[in-house]
Amino acid sequence: DGGITQSPKYLFRKEGQNVTLSCEQNLNHDAMYWYRQDPGQGLRLIYYSQIVNDFQKGDIAEGYSVSREKKESFPLTVTSAQKNPTAFYLCASRPAATDTQYFGPGTRLTVL
Amino acid sequence: SQQGEEDPQALSIQEGENATMNCSYKTSINNLQWYRQNSGRGLVHLILIRSNEREKHSGRLRVTLDTSKKSSSLLITASRAADTASYFCATGVSGGYNKLIFGAGTRLAVHP
């Protein structure tokens, strides 16, 4: 099956802990994105990467970090510096020369 | 910053009726896209309309774009209960990385 996978589906974190959300795609897409969605709101861009070993901050990057060591993988770390991390996190990828993004199923992070 | 604003925020209709959702935006765009999100799931791309296009169809979907008014509408004809979801418009803006700016969405409920 081709597609974008995110794991875990649900994640619980204690305050002060860092957690890493996984995003993997086997679509051979160059660009990958991380978004945050809060209840009743649209998506806000956290980080994006257009090629391996390169990534850029989006609109709300504070308290988050990413890496792009492989084309297929774009993990997101939510650090303890993120003051309000409880949210639904969505990963997306985009093939070259198109504008359409393809989304994973999301990870719901809850801080206890 | 969120550019797209959907109207209405929520819409409740009966099966067989048409559903119309509107989206307004503020700055120049390259394209405008509509996505659907079922509760707690990822987003699914529905349709893309470029800034030089005025209308586009895909199955039961019809999208219009008025760049002079900075607005778009999504029409779903002969709605079905399975169309129940949130619908988001996303504006594609220039910037070198195919950035999408999402609105807060319209929650559509289609009753049998």
Side-chain angles (χ1 to χ4, degrees), chain B residues 7-18:
Chain B
D7 170 54
Q9 291 185 347
L11 182 60
S12 181
I13 60 174
Q14 298 295 126
E15 264 192 331
E17 293 181 341
N18 295 342

Side-chain angles (χ1 to χ4, degrees), chain A residues 1-68:
Chain A
D1 283 342
I4 304 173
T5 58
Q6 292 185 242
S7 61
K9 186 173 182 179
Y10 299 98
L11 187 56
F12 298 90
R13 187 193 95 173
K14 294 181 180 179
E15 285 194 24
Q17 286 182 336
N18 293 353
V19 290
T20 298
L21 283 59
S22 169
C23 178
E24 303 278 334
Q25 54 99 359
N26 60 5
L27 301 169
N28 199 34
H29 291 173
D30 289 307
M32 297 186 74
Y33 305 80
W34 272 107
Y35 293 92
R36 169 181 172 140
Q37 185 179 30
D38 292 285
Q41 298 188 31
L43 280 63
R44 291 183 289 169
L45 182 64
I46 305 173
Y47 267 98
Y48 65 96
S49 168
Q50 298 199 87
I51 55 173
V52 174
N53 293 322
D54 182 69
F55 49 84
Q56 303 295 329
K57 293 182 179 180
D59 299 319
I60 56 166
E62 184 175 353
Y64 300 97
S65 66
V66 294
S67 63
R68 187 85 188 276

Side-chain angles (χ1 to χ4, degrees), chain A residues 70-92:
Chain A
K70 298 186 300 181
K71 188 175 186 177
E72 302 79 17
S73 179
F74 191 39
L76 173 74
T77 296
V78 184
T79 75
S80 56
Q82 170 50 234
K83 298 305 179 187
N84 185 22
T86 294
F88 189 51
Y89 291 87
L90 288 156
C91 177

Side-chain angles (χ1 to χ4, degrees), chain B residues 56-96:
Chain B
K56 205 161 185 180
H57 298 255
S58 177
R60 293 184 295 115
L61 305 180
R62 171 177 168 251
V63 170
T64 61
L65 178 64
D66 187 335
T67 53
S68 67
K69 296 181 179 179
K70 291 187 169 57
S71 67
S72 173
S73 67
L74 171 67
L75 169 67
I76 303 174
T77 59
S79 62
R80 306 165 182 168
D83 294 328
T84 295
S86 291
Y87 292 81
F88 295 90
C89 72
T91 49
V93 299
S94 59

